[in-house]
């Protein structure tokens, strides 16, 4: 990627299925990402897989993949929870490529994931999900069950889940609570940035 990948960046992966038969085809796709660190030794450069479990966990939580992106509202839908999805191609012809797009995003702040666009504490211009969409609520449930993918430190606390629920529901929450969660999200970002210089995206079909 020309400008690199970092918190706040997003983009689209385009690839093509070339059918080996005509008619209908149902194909399952599995995406995976792996971090690599660059090692320089005099004139030689090598790349080593990042195996630190915490860093790998954060990377897989913070870099998200979706099947759909609304260019007008800059919002996402159809989250690839396990980086797995299935496509059915109705009228394939042998050797005629079928285009497939997947959208990725690395949210800059926790608020972009949880908040409505009308929240007075939102610091970023764009949120990930439409304000009243099921996608937003479904993602929050996923996040509450997997806080260690998103937050550093002692993430999996009931009080953290309660703050997230309050933000989602538009109930009262303190800016101190939001700041605490945001710091844990940003700390996770920093750990990725410290350890990972390159990211390999693999696609299995």
């Amino acid at each position: 990627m020309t400008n690199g990948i970092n918190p706040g960046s997003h983009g689209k992966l385009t690839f093509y299925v070339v059918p080996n038969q005509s008619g209908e085809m149902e194909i399952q796709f599995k995406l995976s990402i792996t971090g690599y660190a660059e090692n320089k030794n005099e004139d030689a450069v090598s790349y080593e897989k990042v195996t630190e479990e915490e860093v790998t966990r954060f990377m897989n939580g913070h870099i998200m993949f979706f099947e759909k992106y609304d260019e007008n509202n800059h919002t996402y839908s159809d989250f690839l929870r396990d980086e797995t999805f299935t496509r059915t191609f109705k009228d394939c012809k042998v050797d005629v490529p079928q285009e497939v797009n997947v959208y990725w995003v690395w949210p800059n702040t926790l608020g972009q994931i949880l908040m409505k666009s009308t929240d007075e504490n939102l610091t970023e211009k764009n949120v990930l999900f439409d304000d009243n969409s099921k996608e937003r609520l479904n993602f929050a449930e996923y996040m509450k069950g997997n806080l260690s993918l998103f937050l550093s430190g002692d993430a999996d606390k009931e009080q953290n889940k309660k703050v997230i629920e309050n933000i989602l529901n538009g109930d009262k929450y303190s800016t101190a609570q939001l700041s605490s969660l945001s710091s844990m999200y940003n700390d996770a970002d920093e750990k990725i940035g410290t350890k990972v210089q390159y990211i390999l995206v693999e696609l299995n079909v």
Side-chain angles (χ1 to χ4, degrees), residues 3 6 19 33 37 47 52-53 55 62 64 86-88 94 97 113 130 136 157 166 168 172 176 193 198-199 201 205:
N3 298 316
N6 52 269
I33 56 176
Y47 304 93
E52 192 173 329
E53 191 272 336
V55 175
H62 285 221
M64 307 168 192
T86 301
R87 290 281 174 89
T88 299
V94 175
I113 303 172
D130 283 331
R136 177 173 169 269
K157 286 183 175 180
N166 290 344
L168 281 168
K172 185 177 180 180
Y198 295 90
I199 292 175
V201 180
V205 181

Side-chain angles (χ1 to χ4, degrees), residues 88-127:
T88 299
F89 302 94
K90 293 290 187 182
D91 187 21
C92 293
K93 293 180 174 57
V94 175
D95 293 334
V96 177
Q98 304 288 314
E99 182 176 296
V100 180
N101 293 309
V102 174
Y103 302 89
W104 64 269
V105 60
W106 186 346
N108 193 37
T109 67
L110 184 64
Q112 288 177 284
I113 303 172
L114 297 176
M115 291 178 173
K116 288 187 175 184
S117 60
T118 53
D119 194 305
E120 62 182 10
N121 294 313
L122 182 67
T123 58
E124 294 285 332
K125 181 180 179 182
N126 296 319
V127 293

Side-chain angles (χ1 to χ4, degrees), residues 10 17 23 31 67 75 83 92 146-147 153 169 190 199 204-205:
H10 61 94
V17 173
L31 282 163
E67 287 194 68
T75 53
E83 280 80 45
C92 293
N146 297 275
L147 282 178
N169 297 332
E190 187 172 349
I199 292 175
N204 287 302
V205 181

Side-chain angles (χ1 to χ4, degrees), residues 33-47:
I33 56 176
T34 306
Y36 283 84
E38 182 180 82
N39 291 316
K40 293 182 178 179
N41 185 11
E42 296 180 353
D43 294 334
V45 178
S46 62
Y47 304 93

Side-chain angles (χ1 to χ4, degrees), residues 19-20 23-24 29 40 43 45-47 51 60 62 72 89 96 100 102 127 135 148 158 174 179 182 184 192 199 204:
N20 58 8
E24 183 173 302
F29 302 91
K40 293 182 178 179
D43 294 334
V45 178
S46 62
Y47 304 93
T51 57
N60 280 277
H62 285 221
N72 294 319
F89 302 94
V96 177
V100 180
V102 174
V127 293
E135 189 79 30
S148 63
E158 285 304 316
S174 72
S179 178
S182 295
M184 296 168 78
I192 299 170
I199 292 175
N204 287 302

Side-chain angles (χ1 to χ4, degrees), residues 54 85 102 160:
E54 182 184 54
F85 62 104
V102 174
N160 291 338

